[in-house]
Structures are given as C-alpha cells and as structure tokens.
Amino acid sequence: MRYKRNEAFRYQLNDSLDAIFTLKVEEDTLSSKGHALIYNISPNGLRFRTEYDLPVGDSRLLLQLLFILNENEISMPGHITWKKKIGSLFEYGFEGTEDNEAKQKIINGLKELSRMDNKNTL
C-alpha cells in the first residue's frame, strides 16, 4: 500500500467530509453517483471510505470526487492508489491529478481549518 503519511499539509479531519464520486473512462461516465466519507486530505490526495468495492490499479479509470471544504465546492479528479476492507466498508487512498485550481482550493481550505482548530484550542 502506498500512503504518504508524512506529506506536507496532510490534514486529519475531526469530522469526516461528505463526498460524491463517479467513475469515468476518458469522457464516458461508467457509474452512477456514489457516496463517500473523506477522513484526511492534502492538496495531492486523500483517504476515503465507501460501501462500494472500486477497482484499483487501472490507470484508464478516473475517479471524480466532489466535496465541500469550508463552503467551497471542490471537484477533484484522480486515481485510487490502494484499497483496504474495514468491516462492511472499503477504505481507499486517492491521488489527485494535476489540477492546480483544486489544489489551491484545498490549501486555502486546510489553512482555514487549521486556524479554526487553533482558535478552538486556546
């Protein structure tokens, strides 16, 4: 399993974020929308759980995640890098593609979350 635990800006969320995802091959959508919960996030990727058993390692497949971070809607395309079964759910590592707009929104959102966490601990 490839997991960047020490990546700069990786943020462990206190409360999971709701996300919606679809699977695509090039421009063709292969699935209806699925629900996921995001548990940690960085500008380059994230960890999420869902009830769906998704394929891993097929570079042709693109997972499109849509979620809200600090009132900003973020659409993040990428690939699943690893999978682990946890009870009735599946946990995944997700690596985003080179989408600078999504990365910048995530960085700004994580900075704001960090500021809010620091205020709450004082």
Side-chain angles (χ1 to χ4, degrees), residues 47-69:
R47 180 174 54 98
F48 72 93
R49 289 183 187 164
T50 184
E51 63 184 313
Y52 300 101
D53 186 2
L54 303 172
V56 178
D58 188 341
S59 61
R60 298 173 301 144
L61 291 177
L62 184 71
L63 187 76
Q64 184 74 39
L65 276 166
L66 181 65
F67 57 96
I68 296 176
L69 180 61

Side-chain angles (χ1 to χ4, degrees), residues 21-25 28-31 54-55 61-64:
F21 67 86
T22 54
L23 279 174
K24 298 180 177 197
V25 173
D28 297 327
T29 301
L30 296 178
S31 70
L54 303 172
L61 291 177
L62 184 71
L63 187 76
Q64 184 74 39

Side-chain angles (χ1 to χ4, degrees), residues 2-83:
R2 197 172 67 162
Y3 184 59
K4 299 177 184 176
R5 287 181 177 90
N6 298 321
E7 179 182 6
F9 295 122
R10 181 156 297 272
Y11 189 88
Q12 184 67 38
L13 298 164
N14 293 330
D15 297 314
S16 59
L17 291 176
D18 286 316
I20 301 295
F21 67 86
T22 54
L23 279 174
K24 298 180 177 197
V25 173
E26 296 175 7
E27 297 299 317
D28 297 327
T29 301
L30 296 178
S31 70
S32 56
K33 294 179 180 177
H35 178 259
L37 293 173
I38 298 172
Y39 288 91
N40 72 32
I41 187 169
S42 79
N44 297 316
L46 50 86
R47 180 174 54 98
F48 72 93
R49 289 183 187 164
T50 184
E51 63 184 313
Y52 300 101
D53 186 2
L54 303 172
V56 178
D58 188 341
S59 61
R60 298 173 301 144
L61 291 177
L62 184 71
L63 187 76
Q64 184 74 39
L65 276 166
L66 181 65
F67 57 96
I68 296 176
L69 180 61
N70 288 345
E71 299 178 9
N72 290 312
E73 184 175 271
I74 299 172
S75 178
M76 189 175 191
H79 302 280
I80 296 172
T81 57
W82 58 265
K83 171 172 58 173

